Amino acid sequence: MHPYSIGPVTTMDVQVPNLLDDALGGGGRVVLIEDCVETSGAFVLHHFLKRSLSPNSSDAVIFLSFSQPFSHYDRILRKMGCNLVVRRDNKRLLFFDLLMLNSLGREEEKTSEDLLLSLYEKVHKAVEICSSPARNITIIIDDVSLLEVAVNCLSNMVLDFLHYCYSLTAEFGCSLITLNHEDIYSSLDKSSLILQMEYHADVVIKAEPLSTGLATDVHGQLTVIDKGLGGGVCNSGKICNFQFRIKDNQIEYFYPGSRT
Amino acid sequence: MAGNKPRVSSFSRNFTAASNTISQIPGLKHGPNGTMFLSSGILDLDKILGGGFTLGSLVMVMEDPEAPHHMLLIRNFMSQGLVHNQPLLYASPAKDPRGFLGTLPSPVFSKDEKSRDRDAEQEKGLRIAWQYKKYFDEQNSEFQRDEKSEYCNDFDLRKPLERHFYSGQQIDCIRLEDSADLTTFHDRCSSFLSQTPRNDRNITCPGRIAIQSLGAPQCDFSDKECNMLSFVRSLKNTIRSSNAVAVITFPPSLFSPSFSKRLQHLADTLVSVKAIPDEDKELAKLLTGYQDMVGLLSVHKVARINTQVPTILEATTFSMKLQKRRSLILECLNQAPIDGSSGISYASSGSCTGSSKTGALDF
């Protein structure tokens, strides 16, 4: 058995080290998760969410959701052994449901700029509230591409918003985890949005399908590019590459070919 | 942790109260993770997707620019809704969307019709080993056909839906040409959806939204890609909190690749249809039953609501066939046996199960 292949976890609260955690080490300040239509990278977000909300720490999470309602995350995280409702009640999780932000036919008088400004104010306030007893804060944005749609595809404005968020990481020492879809921008004139996001990220995690096609026991492969700020296995600019299998209660990570 | 709170955990959720109300509503059944399924109107597609379209999900169909195969999916989806007496909203860039209702297929009710393929199989008598898998599948589907005839009907594409199915129900037809901007269209969708709110206690009759060829050049908004994205995003989020399923077909070949990818990301369930060329000798040699095929259907994404585990299908590409020219069936692609005279050993063609062939034929 491979040292990293994990058997069933009996105690919910025990964090079993896995390849992804090893690759991340102390965790980057700014993490970008990239995925594509074939392979969703949402499970990496869930992983970070669970890690930040682990009962052993007092870290707080500010979650900006553009893609899924709270109940969706609640159900997934509960299967992983983390009750989001309790965390929300304890003020360790601040969940912003932004699904209806600037929906068609609503808030028409507001410009996209106003929307982003008020959103940033909310985030800033939330960070300030969370940091009153000093603790690690993680800001998670589920799906920057949907944020883009919400502000009428003005990607420059999204970039500005993200820059403000990056400045928060410097000011309050919080982490910023974003998800975006790489294949949207893969046409010839690659958008500056994804390029700049990649530039600002300390860690880039790419989720891709297997080149050999779908398999029931290997769901895809992850590439972790660490630019060398954390203390992970693949610091100093190394690239880690491994495969994963998503289960309800955990995700198995393993090196290619190490599974029998 | 979870035990501290009186809130019921997902493990002990009691379905008895809810399932009583559901059993009274035809066309709904429970799926995993607290979701519910609605039939797509195509038995094989329901089976492929693990039960049907998830309630509250957005289904996107990528059209083939050369053939209207997406219409087959839309027709069955709409007919099934009408048979179950569910409210329906249909939008199309065509001149007369209401006229389209006249082309909806009629359900087949009689019992002997249902067992027709089994009889056909028995007549053949001899079963050839390389196709055994196909037969097992058909037996299974036969079993389901009898068991859940209420959930998903068999449709006869040649017979139009009888009048009485249209009467006494609410059918909204919208001309996309008229909706110069998508806001008014979105408002109509929202008011339609507000009739079927999601409420755990009291499940109302589910609604169906079918939007054909969103962004076709006839629509005024076809050049406003961002508006369309906003529309789809809003619709998706409204659908999520209501008791309905939306099926949107779109022509990806008309859009920029990045816009098409964005739409694909927005979809909960993503399916594409493709025509097959009439006289493709190579394909005809490769696949059995090539003459009966009308097209190919690929499943790219299966809705993942309330779960992070992806559904890995045994095969992603299926052939669409019209059985006896009237009912639409989907089949795994079956590789034709190699000619004995050609002298190729069986080792090279040994992989004749459904899944491995699709790799070679990934369209």
Side-chain angles (χ1 to χ4, degrees):
Chain A
M1 207 173 180
H2 193 269
Y4 286 114
S5 55
I6 307 150
V9 186
T10 44
T11 325
M12 282 179 174
D13 302 347
V14 173
Q15 290 271 340
V16 187
N18 57 44
L19 278 180
L20 181 59
D21 282 330
D22 283 359
L24 292 170
R29 285 272 139 109
V30 180
V31 180
L32 169 65
I33 305 162
E34 292 182 345
D35 66 359
C36 49
V37 174
E38 294 79 21
T39 308
S40 160
F43 71 94
V44 186
L45 273 191
H46 304 148
H47 173 92
F48 278 111
L49 191 56
K50 189 193 170 189
R51 203 168 78 148
S52 314
L53 292 175
S54 82
N56 307 326
S57 68
S58 61
D59 302 354
V61 174
I62 296 164
F63 201 106
L64 307 182
S65 170
F66 292 91
S67 70
Q68 304 283 354
F70 180 76
S71 60
H72 175 85
Y73 302 104
D74 185 33
R75 259 185 192 270
I76 290 173
L77 267 287
R78 203 177 296 180
K79 281 187 191 140
M80 297 168 76
C82 175
N83 193 330
L84 290 188
V85 178
V86 172
R87 298 290 189 279
R88 195 172 57 173
D89 293 346
N90 294 347
K91 300 270 184 294
R92 283 189 56 194
L93 169 69
L94 283 114
F95 189 89
F96 292 97
D97 187 330
L98 303 168
L99 293 183
M100 300 314 269
L101 181 79
N102 198 20
S103 279
L104 273 182
R106 284 177 165 213
E107 311 175 64
E108 273 187 359
E109 65 283 0
K110 271 192 175 177
T111 63
S112 311
E113 201 171 358
D114 293 339
L115 278 173
L116 279 181
L117 269 176
S118 65
L119 181 62
Y120 175 72
E121 264 165 35
K122 272 188 208 163
V123 174
H124 191 259
K125 200 174 272 174
V127 171
E128 276 182 339
I129 292 169
C130 287
S131 62
S132 54
R135 52 181 170 176
N136 292 327
I137 302 164
T138 309
I139 304 170
I140 301 181
I141 303 179
D142 191 356
D143 211 327
V144 175
S145 75
L146 288 174
L147 169 64
E148 234 183 318
V149 175
V151 296
N152 301 323
C153 306
L154 299 166
S155 54
N156 281 337
M157 248 172 227
V158 176
L159 261 181
D160 289 347
F161 175 76
L162 288 174
H163 275 298
Y164 281 115
C165 290
Y166 295 139
S167 73
L168 280 181
T169 66
E171 190 181 345
F172 293 92
C174 45
S175 311
L176 177 69
I177 298 168
T178 51
L179 174 71
N180 209 344
H181 308 302
E182 195 190 12
D183 48 359
I184 291 176
Y185 309 97
S186 58
S187 52
L188 281 176
D189 48 337
K190 210 172 176 185
S191 152
S192 61
L193 176 70
I194 193 83
L195 289 175
Q196 291 211 27
M197 283 178 77
E198 279 173 5
Y199 176 79
H200 280 287
D202 300 321
V203 181
V204 179
I205 303 173
K206 289 186 186 187
E208 292 157 324
L210 287 183
S211 55
T212 47
L214 290 176
T216 43
D217 49 358
V218 184
H219 291 165
Q221 64 174 12
L222 277 185
T223 310
V224 181
I225 304 162
D226 193 328
K227 295 184 184 162
L229 293 170
V233 181
C234 39
N235 54 3
S236 64
K238 263 197 215 159
I239 293 173
C240 280
N241 212 325
F242 44 85
Q243 299 176 339
F244 59 85
R245 178 185 187 180
I246 305 170
K247 290 183 169 181
D248 264 329
N249 56 349
Q250 74 189 46
I251 294 129
E252 291 173 2
Y253 303 95
F254 43 86
Y255 287 116
S258 68
R259 288 268 299 234
T260 47
Chain B
M1 279 192 43
N4 295 343
K5 280 269 159 184
R7 202 188 144 105
V8 195
S9 88
S10 57
F11 302 111
S12 61
R13 177 153 180 179
N14 190 356
F15 273 130
T16 48
S19 54
N20 280 341
T21 53
I22 285 167
S23 58
Q24 292 159 8
I25 300 171
L28 277 184
K29 69 177 180 188
H30 279 296
N33 304 309
T35 55
M36 266 184 295
F37 284 132
L38 187 79
S39 173
S40 65
I42 302 167
L43 209 124
D44 294 321
L45 188 59
D46 284 355
K47 217 166 43 164
I48 291 164
L49 296 176
F53 294 150
T54 310
L55 209 60
S57 72
L58 173 68
V59 181
M60 295 265 225
V61 181
M62 294 195 270
E63 300 171 5
D64 184 304
E66 286 160 14
H69 289 333
H70 56 277
M71 304 297 274
L72 290 172
L73 302 186
I74 281 216
R75 278 201 187 101
N76 277 32
F77 174 74
M78 289 167 65
S79 265
Q80 185 66 72
L82 292 180
V83 168
H84 285 149
N85 223 3
Q86 292 159 350
L88 174 72
L89 184 144
Y90 172 67
S92 144
K95 284 262 180 290
D96 178 22
R98 199 159 275 278
F100 180 72
L101 295 177
T103 68
L104 295 184
S106 157
V108 181
F109 283 117
S110 67
K111 203 75 183 164
D112 50 317
E113 281 292 332
K114 274 172 197 159
S115 54
R116 64 177 187 274
D117 7 357
R118 181 173 287 175
D119 295 341
E121 299 308 342
Q122 278 164 355
E123 279 165 23
K124 281 182 194 162
L126 184 66
R127 290 185 177 183
I128 304 164
W130 53 267
Q131 275 192 327
Y132 73 97
K133 197 165 180 176
K134 189 175 138 196
Y135 290 102
F136 279 127
D137 279 356
E138 282 191 6
Q139 275 176 358
N140 280 344
S141 77
E142 208 58 56
F143 174 68
Q144 287 184 333
R145 231 167 258 221
D146 293 340
E147 190 187 42
K148 295 195 296 271
S149 51
E150 271 298 293
Y151 175 68
C152 177
N153 291 96
D154 226 346
F155 288 98
D156 186 340
L157 296 174
R158 293 181 308 183
K159 261 203 295 191
L161 197 60
E162 285 152 44
R163 275 260 157 256
H164 68 90
F165 284 114
Y166 300 110
S167 56
Q169 40 196 319
Q170 184 219 340
I171 307 171
D172 277 6
C173 286
I174 298 174
R175 268 178 65 178
L176 285 180
E177 263 188 340
D178 294 342
S179 338
D181 75 278
L182 280 161
T183 320
T184 45
F185 179 40
H186 180 254
D187 289 345
R188 284 191 71 172
C189 290
S190 306
S191 62
F192 174 81
L193 287 171
S194 63
Q195 295 155 8
T196 58
R198 166 85 43 112
N199 185 344
D200 279 343
R201 295 273 143 61
N202 182 20
I203 289 146
T204 50
C205 195
R208 292 176 186 238
I209 291 183
I211 301 173
Q212 183 208 323
S213 303
L214 182 78
Q218 297 100 305
C219 315
D220 279 347
F221 48 81
S222 61
D223 54 340
K224 294 176 192 149
E225 297 195 335
C226 198
N227 273 10
M228 276 192 273
L229 283 173
S230 287
F231 167 75
V232 176
R233 168 177 172 264
S234 307
L235 182 67
K236 179 188 181 180
N237 295 332
T238 330
I239 283 269
R240 193 64 185 273
S241 55
S242 58
N243 240 351
V245 172
V247 174
I248 301 180
T249 73
F250 68 97
S253 51
L254 295 182
F255 303 144
S256 68
S258 108
F259 175 61
S260 160
K261 280 283 179 202
R262 276 180 198 269
L263 282 177
Q264 293 175 39
H265 273 289
L266 277 167
D268 287 310
T269 300
L270 183 66
V271 170
S272 71
V273 285
K274 213 158 176 70
I276 50 173
D278 256 351
E279 300 276 321
D280 190 333
K281 295 251 167 63
E282 261 181 49
L283 261 184
K285 231 190 278 173
L286 214 57
L287 300 169
T288 54
Y290 178 77
Q291 307 79 16
D292 313 330
M293 286 185 196
V294 292
L296 295 162
L297 178 138
S298 304
V299 180
H300 301 277
K301 219 159 63 161
V302 181
R304 232 188 277 186
I305 290 178
N306 293 346
T307 182
Q308 60 177 353
V309 182
T311 312
I312 306 291
L313 301 171
E314 202 178 321
T316 52
T317 309
F318 300 87
S319 60
M320 300 166 80
K321 292 183 181 174
L322 292 180
Q323 199 172 47
K324 294 194 173 173
R325 288 185 166 189
R326 56 180 166 201
S327 60
L328 180 66
I329 56 166
L330 302 174
E331 269 178 13
C332 280
L333 298 177
N334 280 303
Q335 199 166 12
I338 306 294
D339 272 352
S341 55
S342 65
I344 300 168
S345 76
Y346 249 97
S348 58
S349 65
S351 58
C352 59
T353 52
S355 53
S356 53
K357 262 158 291 144
T358 50
L361 256 174
D362 232 342
F363 287 93

